[in-house]
Amino acid sequence: QKMVGLPERVDIIVSHEAPLYFEPVVVRETQNLTIWTKILESRKYLDYVLNEVKCSKWFHGHYHTSTSGSFGDVLYRGLDIDEIVVLYE
C-alpha cells in the first residue's frame, strides 16, 4: 500500500541517509543498539521510497564519502564533505 503524500515520479531525490540498496553497506561497528536500529529503520524506509517513487538520480550525504552506483534505473551518489556535483540534462 502506497503512503499518502508520496509522488509517483520525481527527477531527483536528495536525502541525508541512503536506502539499504545503495552503498555503503551498513556495518555495525561502534554504534550502540539504539542508533544502529534507527539507521536500519531509516534505510529500510528509504528502500520503500525507492520502490514507490520513480526517479532517475538520488543523492545522499550521511557517510561523508564519495560513492556512486546504480540500482535499476536509478543513478545514486554519496557525497563527501564539501563535494559538489554539477548536473547537465
Side-chain angles (χ1 to χ4, degrees):
Q1 177 178 332
K2 191 168 187 167
M3 294 183 105
V4 175
L6 286 178
E8 290 185 25
R9 180 161 192 67
V10 297
D11 295 326
I12 298 170
I13 294 177
V14 178
S15 60
H16 181 252
E17 188 57 83
L20 279 170
Y21 293 123
F22 297 176
E23 289 183 47
V25 175
V26 180
V27 178
R28 183 171 177 213
E29 294 173 355
T30 59
Q31 296 101 343
N32 68 39
L33 185 58
T34 302
I35 293 171
W36 172 248
T37 301
K38 287 181 180 182
I39 289 170
L40 288 180
E41 287 173 358
S42 294
R43 290 190 76 164
K44 285 179 184 177
Y45 172 74
L46 292 173
D47 280 354
Y48 169 77
V49 173
L50 177 65
N51 286 313
E52 293 295 320
V53 180
K54 303 304 175 220
C55 71
S56 58
K57 295 175 185 67
W58 190 310
F59 296 90
H60 64 88
H62 177 118
Y63 298 95
H64 299 196
T65 57
S66 186
T67 59
S68 61
S70 63
F71 182 81
D73 294 333
V74 179
L75 300 175
Y76 66 84
R77 179 79 180 252
L79 300 174
D80 200 351
I81 296 171
D82 295 330
E83 183 175 359
I84 297 172
V85 175
V86 178
L87 299 176
Y88 296 98
E89 291 288 329

